[in-house]
Amino acid sequence: MEPVTVTGLGPMGRALAAALLRAGHPVTVWNRTAAKADALVDQGASRAVTAAGEGPLVIVCLIDDAAVHAALDPVAEDLRGRTLVNLTSTSPAQARATAAWAGRHGIGYLDGAIMTPTPSIGGPSALVLYSGPEEVYEPARPVLADLGGTATHLGTDPGLAAAYDVALLDIFWNAVGGLVHGLALARAEGISGTRLAPYATPVFGMLPEMLTRFAERLEEGRHPGDRSTIASAAAGIEHIMETARAHDIDTGALAGSRELLRRAIDAGHGADGLSRLAELLGERADAMIPVNGSPPR
Ligand SMILES: NC(=O)c1ccc[n+]([C@@H]2O[C@H](COP(=O)([O-])OP(=O)(O)OC[C@H]3O[C@@H](n4cnc5c(N)ncnc54)[C@H](OP(=O)(O)O)[C@@H]3O)[C@@H](O)[C@H]2O)c1
């Protein structure tokens, strides 16, 4: 069993270290607040002297990119010739910059994104995405498999795991935003959440099919308005905003959606399906090509 260091013992770092201990690895742990290592040391882990720990493989899992560099920059030379797997959630640009930093110090680098919560770690439902050089991933694979579930190597670009992570969390947080907004609006109209939920569940149930269909349309570059159109959505959003405003409920997110719909109509896409919006969102407003010749509002 390969020795592993886990640097960072927040809830996720502790779950990672515990799973590796259960799998039989000699585990060395480090945390800025040293006392958080106590329970793991009781379970058989060794306490590291520095954030670099020891052994060929170091897994780092801290609150953010700045914390990773605060912990590891001072010990970069101790990591030379070893493999660093960074499971801290960061942006793709930060992941690429940390990979470059690792390259300058002769550290084998993999970036990762943990997509499931702490109780999943070590079990069948864990999902961790990785990106970075194949020759670094392959030797680390048996240890990473002991974190449980599905480990997926997305490609050699170290920013890929973070790119999937931010795109998936973007979907998640926008859905959560819609969920809490709808509950607030219902409440303001005297409808309890528990009364609304049975009707809201099928609304959420439509989303997986829409996601697949929109994804296909983006691939094809075709956005037929056969099921519903951008023009129809733009009309429909007005009375939701009016009701929210009447109850003094924030309309910032809806206003953003309305603005996007308007932009799409101004650019001549009113008869298209909603998947067109993902294309428009990716373009700068001033780069859009309006079919009627007037600049988008
Ligand atoms: N928890 C989950 O369910 C979950 C799920 C998926 C992904 N993740 C990701 O996993 C990562 C870790 O999350 P977490 O839940 O374990 O806890 P967290 O609260 O995000 O991070 C806590 C850890 O960061 C350390 N830290 C903060 N600032 C530091 C600094 N300046 N220098 C050194 N260490 C610093 C803390 O040390 P101290 O103890 O000394 O404060 C602690 O070890 C995050 O990127 C998170 O997004 C978590």
Side-chain angles (χ1 to χ4, degrees), residues 153-225:
H153 183 241
L154 297 166
T156 55
D157 168 4
L160 266 182
Y164 274 71
D165 189 37
V166 293
L168 294 168
L169 290 175
D170 188 13
I171 292 174
F172 177 74
W173 281 114
N174 277 296
V176 170
L179 194 155
V180 295
H181 202 274
L183 285 171
L185 193 58
R187 214 157 158 247
E189 285 287 329
I191 305 164
S192 71
T194 46
R195 282 176 61 200
L196 185 76
Y199 302 95
T201 304
V203 173
F204 270 87
M206 287 160 38
L207 297 179
E209 186 280 328
M210 283 176 77
L211 175 64
T212 310
R213 185 158 39 88
F214 282 19
E216 285 167 5
R217 289 184 171 176
L218 280 164
E219 291 282 304
E220 295 164 2
R222 239 173 29 88
H223 305 281

Side-chain angles (χ1 to χ4, degrees), residues 8-13 31-33 36 61-63 67 70-71 87-89 114 116-118:
L9 300 175
M12 186 50 85
N31 196 59
R32 180 182 62 174
T33 308
K36 286 193 191 164
C61 188
L62 297 171
I63 193 164
L87 297 183
T88 306
S89 302
I114 303 172
T116 50
T118 51

Side-chain angles (χ1 to χ4, degrees), residues 56-100:
L57 185 66
V58 179
I59 295 175
V60 62
C61 188
L62 297 171
I63 193 164
D64 57 18
D65 181 67
V68 169
H69 286 282
L72 297 184
D73 282 4
V75 293
E77 280 309 306
D78 298 334
L79 292 168
R80 186 175 287 279
R82 299 160 70 196
T83 293
L84 177 66
V85 182
N86 185 4
L87 297 183
T88 306
S89 302
T90 67
S91 72
Q94 288 169 335
R96 291 179 188 120
T98 303

Side-chain angles (χ1 to χ4, degrees), residues 3-281:
V4 188
T5 289
V6 176
T7 290
L9 300 175
M12 186 50 85
R14 292 200 295 274
L16 299 170
L20 292 166
L21 279 172
R22 283 199 302 276
H25 293 276
V27 176
T28 301
V29 289
W30 181 90
N31 196 59
R32 180 182 62 174
T33 308
K36 286 193 191 164
D38 292 352
L40 287 159
V41 170
D42 289 345
Q43 292 164 46
S46 309
R47 212 182 287 272
V49 179
T50 74
E54 49 198 63
L57 185 66
V58 179
I59 295 175
V60 62
C61 188
L62 297 171
I63 193 164
D64 57 18
D65 181 67
V68 169
H69 286 282
L72 297 184
D73 282 4
V75 293
E77 280 309 306
D78 298 334
L79 292 168
R80 186 175 287 279
R82 299 160 70 196
T83 293
L84 177 66
V85 182
N86 185 4
L87 297 183
T88 306
S89 302
T90 67
S91 72
Q94 288 169 335
R96 291 179 188 120
T98 303
W101 166 88
R104 290 195 296 277
H105 292 282
I107 304 164
Y109 184 78
L110 283 179
D111 204 83
I114 303 172
M115 305 310 304
T116 50
T118 51
S120 71
I121 301 302
S125 63
L127 173 60
V128 189
L129 306 177
Y130 296 97
S131 53
E134 198 85 48
E135 62 274 20
V136 181
Y137 179 69
E138 278 307 320
R141 197 150 63 150
V143 174
L144 301 177
D146 287 329
L147 300 180
T150 309
T152 303
H153 183 241
L154 297 166
T156 55
D157 168 4
L160 266 182
Y164 274 71
D165 189 37
V166 293
L168 294 168
L169 290 175
D170 188 13
I171 292 174
F172 177 74
W173 281 114
N174 277 296
V176 170
L179 194 155
V180 295
H181 202 274
L183 285 171
L185 193 58
R187 214 157 158 247
E189 285 287 329
I191 305 164
S192 71
T194 46
R195 282 176 61 200
L196 185 76
Y199 302 95
T201 304
V203 173
F204 270 87
M206 287 160 38
L207 297 179
E209 186 280 328
M210 283 176 77
L211 175 64
T212 310
R213 185 158 39 88
F214 282 19
E216 285 167 5
R217 289 184 171 176
L218 280 164
E219 291 282 304
E220 295 164 2
R222 239 173 29 88
H223 305 281
D226 49 352
R227 297 197 186 194
S228 64
T229 64
I230 286 172
S232 167
I237 208 166
E238 293 299 337
H239 65 278
I240 310 170
M241 288 190 71
E242 183 192 311
T243 311
R245 268 196 304 265
H247 291 297
D248 214 11
I249 291 172
D250 183 83
T251 54
L254 286 168
S257 296
R258 184 178 63 176
E259 179 54 28
L260 179 63
L261 290 163
R262 280 195 182 154
R263 265 213 284 145
I265 292 168
D266 287 350
H269 298 301
D272 287 355
L274 294 172
S275 54
R276 168 72 71 187
L277 300 173
E279 244 173 39
L280 296 185
L281 266 172

